[in-house]
Amino acid sequence: MNWDRVEGNWKQVKGKAREQWGKLTDSDWDQIAGKKDQLVGRIQERYGISKDEAQKQADEWARAQSEEPAREPHEPSVRR
């Protein structure tokens, strides 16, 4: 998923981002609001990593969002 789509769908993807970066606070998430530069800065700050590493993590996370099959929120996951 590209960052324009992440930002546009922030309310839907924010929960998955919270799972990925649990050290970020509610205030951090409010400030991020789907903006990549804000997310990278908060990851860098909270996890004490380089900007390049934070950028890499954010890009990999966004890419992974594209790989998950899209389904309606009310549609259960069923394995057969």
Side-chain angles (χ1 to χ4, degrees), residues 14-61:
K14 182 167 76 169
K16 292 181 182 187
R18 282 179 179 261
E19 291 174 14
Q20 178 76 25
W21 296 288
K23 289 184 180 181
L24 275 62
T25 66
D26 288 341
S27 177
D28 290 334
W29 293 113
D30 291 341
Q31 291 288 321
I32 292 165
K35 294 176 178 65
K36 183 179 180 182
D37 61 333
Q38 291 291 319
L39 177 60
V40 168
R42 299 295 178 175
I43 294 168
Q44 182 182 2
E45 180 181 323
R46 297 286 183 222
Y47 288 86
I49 60 176
S50 70
K51 183 176 182 178
D52 287 343
E53 178 60 26
Q55 182 89 37
K56 179 181 170 190
Q57 287 184 19
D59 289 340
E60 287 174 357
W61 174 82

Side-chain angles (χ1 to χ4, degrees), residues 1-17 21 34 36 39 55-71:
M1 180 178 293
N2 69 34
W3 277 98
D4 289 334
R5 291 189 61 201
V6 168
E7 190 170 353
N9 295 305
W10 184 240
K11 288 183 180 181
Q12 290 83 7
V13 299
K14 182 167 76 169
K16 292 181 182 187
W21 296 288
K36 183 179 180 182
L39 177 60
Q55 182 89 37
K56 179 181 170 190
Q57 287 184 19
D59 289 340
E60 287 174 357
W61 174 82
R63 217 174 1 263
Q65 302 318 298
S66 299
E67 295 169 4
E68 293 185 13
R71 60 182 176 87

